Amino acid sequence: MADVTDVIYLDNNATTRVAPEVVEAMLPAFGPLYGNASSMHTFGGQMGHYIATAREQVAGILGADPEEIIFTSCGSESDNAAWYSATETQPEKRHVITTKVEHSAVLAYGHYLEDKGYEVTWLGVDDKGQISLEELERAIRPDTALVSMMYANNETGTIFPIAKVAEIVKSHGVQLHVDAVQAVGKEVIDLSRLPIDYLALSGHKLHAPKGIGALYVRRGTRFRPYVKGGHQERGRRAGTENVPYIIGLGKACELAASNMEKERTQVAALRDRLQEGLLAAIPHCKINGDQAHRLPNTLNISFEAVEGEALLLQLDQYGICASSGSACTSGSLEPSHVLRAMGVPFNYAHGSVRFSLSRYNTGAEIERVIEVMPTIVSELRKISPFAAFLKK
Amino acid sequence: MWEYTETVRDHFLHPRNAGVLEDANVIGEAGSLACGDALKLMLKVNEQGIIEDAKFQTFGCASAIASSSALTELIKGKHMDEAAKLTNKEIAEYLGGLPKEKMHCSVMGEEALEDAVRHWKGLPSKAHAEEGRLVCKCFGVTDLQIIKVAKENNLTTVEEVTDFIKAGGACGSCKDDIQSILDKLHSMEKPLQEIRPVPRMTNVQRMQKVMTIINEDIAPRLALDGGSIELVDVDGTTVVVALRGACSGCSASQLTLKNLVEKTLREQVDSAINVVEA
Ligand SMILES: Cc1ncc(COP(=O)(O)O)c(C=O)c1O
Ligand code: FES
């Protein structure tokens, strides 16, 4: 099995390596500090302090108040909880607006509401993956309960103009949920200035473990708990707190805040080098996404006339980890819903590869990818029946 | 991540017979760019009908490339008639199995080969012949294709059909249709199990007799014209057959069915026999 020493990990939008500092911070809670924060005794009760610190750390990276942070089990739960609360607290409003390029956690909730008789407006995107603000404004109705939109797209890195979205949505008095799972730690988010009602984040995208997330709920927003039961999280999310992971998420947010600059300069520079290197060395490629508004770590590039899974498995031979929006990697038989919504032509859509970097990547790793990729693509093109149609 | 066998990995990383066959005289194609995989099979067939050389070009995932590689290995050196009998199952078996979601890659191999065989016999590609009824618009799959793949691989659910031939895997609007095709197929098979007593001859006896006559008398005669026949089912006096090779899709196939197959069976087995095509 390949381990961290011999892989070049460029799949950080799928999940990230847990930062060593995070592991270290979590360990005591797996060992001697096993108490339950809800207990009356000091031994358990002291865990409350750790949770409070973590809550401050998470609030810190968002410009939020600690009381506005609810710990959840993952990004998907945060998304679901926001939709649940927004619709349950406004039962008379039966219309929701979202986009066609959301993560499945949001798409699925939209389809679920449609089955229940709700009307959902699915905003389309242009060829860069951008929404139209005019279209958004036109879609808002008196019975709109919620607008839900991702901050940045996990496949292409395209960043939506959330500040403008918030302005429009709030001017109509409608609630706004933002899936910021891919953006936290990479984009500066200041909720003290951004009028967002709900915001979802997930630990494993920012060097905390998988299976921990948080939901921001703006103070004053009426809330109904999605997970019902005990009084944990001030009655907003039942279930005995996952103390070690909460500590880990807090630590990861603290680290992310201090590494944000690095993420936006150093990581962005590596990504740009990768993009330039590949474009220069390989003909017939196309960048997917909005290069002017894009996460600093993400490069989604399509290689015409070759198929994504074949590219990934070839890369795998070199220990290079990436992902693809190809149909063959998704099990759905159709290329990614995001690329399709963008109208990426089939000859490109099937051959997309997403490289997503992190602060742990090095220049040497990037050069290695630039070195091996041209051969991989040209070998696959040699056996592709469509390569003959590539324009000279 | 898909669990690929070592053989699949090997054929993907080191595809056999990949590339363009300059002196190919028979071409077979399957799949399309829109579908996400496509295979072009290039054969050099000599006058005796022996495949002297085979090469392929494939756009698709690892298992599509491996299936194409396996296909060329399996048919090289064979007579076209022999090669024509190859099924997707054999391709998958040659590779030590494919993940079930990837079985459509082996089916694509079989389809490209079928296409090549048609061309070799001077027949047009299937798409032009417009055989069967279009069931899945997304992937351009007809009812006949579904019936064929379902029979060959004992598929019983819509999901399995999707794994093998993609139909139903995109918008999903054709799923009910696929289900009813499967239902029909299986209701046709069921009576096989019950032995209904009919005067003088049981269903099983009749079936055996029909089978013997088809195999020993009718098939050799069809083979002379480059065609073949397969017994699909016998239900009472209804005999269901599939015509393959030169016979299938051939405008004369109805004539073949009535004049040759039905006539022979009526004469030799039961005057009430009615022959239909699957
Ligand atoms: C944009 C987006 N939202 C939500 C999620 C779901 O997060 P989680 O895996 O923690 O449930 C992901 C990650 O896969 C994501 O990229
Ligand atoms: S028509 Fe068959 S999946 Fe769309």
Side-chain angles (χ1 to χ4, degrees), chain A residues 135-278:
Chain A
E135 205 182 313
L136 164 66
E137 182 145 33
R138 274 200 305 276
I140 297 174
R141 315 192 312 210
D143 66 338
T144 305
L146 178 72
V147 173
S148 176
M149 209 167 275
M150 61 207 319
Y151 200 110
N153 188 274
N154 44 310
E155 290 188 27
T156 60
T158 295
I159 296 170
F160 283 154
I162 290 298
K164 290 187 191 129
V165 168
E167 202 179 298
I168 293 169
V169 173
K170 294 323 288 179
S171 74
H172 290 270
V174 174
Q175 292 200 350
L176 174 62
H177 167 59
V178 173
D179 175 346
V181 167
Q182 292 292 346
V184 175
K186 298 171 204 158
E187 291 297 313
V188 181
I189 301 174
D190 184 0
L191 293 171
S192 68
R193 292 155 186 272
L194 259 183
I196 290 173
D197 302 283
Y198 300 96
L199 181 138
L201 65 87
S202 175
H204 72 106
K205 311 286 183 177
L206 60 141
H207 306 289
K210 297 145 195 62
I212 183 75
L215 176 65
Y216 159 91
V217 184
R218 177 169 296 274
R219 175 173 304 150
T221 307
R222 279 174 61 206
F223 190 80
R224 274 295 155 74
Y226 182 62
V227 180
K228 300 161 210 37
H231 56 270
Q232 293 89 353
E233 300 295 291
R234 300 200 303 140
R236 294 176 298 175
R237 201 276 186 183
T240 301
E241 300 87 345
N242 186 349
V243 182
Y245 279 48
I246 289 173
I247 294 173
L249 178 60
K251 186 70 191 173
C253 284
E254 185 190 82
L255 286 170
S258 62
N259 280 308
M260 185 92 74
E261 206 35 49
K262 204 172 179 180
E263 200 78 45
R264 301 187 59 74
T265 54
Q266 215 167 296
V267 176
L270 289 178
R271 188 273 317 268
D272 292 343
R273 166 70 192 129
L274 180 60
Q275 172 168 324
E276 281 160 29
L278 293 179

Side-chain angles (χ1 to χ4, degrees), chain A residues 4 104 107 227-228 304 360 377:
Chain A
V4 286
S104 51
L107 294 179
V227 180
K228 300 161 210 37
E304 194 177 359
Y360 293 108
V377 174

Side-chain angles (χ1 to χ4, degrees), chain A residues 305-307 309-310 313-314 316-317 328-329 331-334 346-347 350 380 382-386, chain B residues 1-2 4 9 12-13 18 33-34 36 38 57-62 102 104 139 162 166 169-170:
Chain A
V306 288
E307 200 276 334
E309 188 207 282
L313 289 183
Q314 287 286 358
D316 195 50
Q317 288 297 107
C328 281
T329 59
S332 81
L333 296 177
E334 280 212 301
F346 277 117
N347 48 338
H350 287 290
L380 285 171
K382 259 186 217 160
I383 66 167
S384 165
F386 301 120
Chain B
M1 186 151 186
W2 306 109
Y4 286 134
R9 292 189 72 87
F12 164 62
L13 293 171
L33 199 51
Q57 283 189 306
T58 291
F59 165 80
C61 57
K102 294 285 190 175
H104 59 83
F139 292 109
T162 306
K166 294 191 170 187

Side-chain angles (χ1 to χ4, degrees), chain A residues 12-28:
Chain A
N12 287 278
N13 287 10
T15 198
T16 59
R17 159 185 192 175
V18 181
E21 299 92 324
V22 169
V23 176
E24 201 185 323
M26 291 167 65
L27 283 178

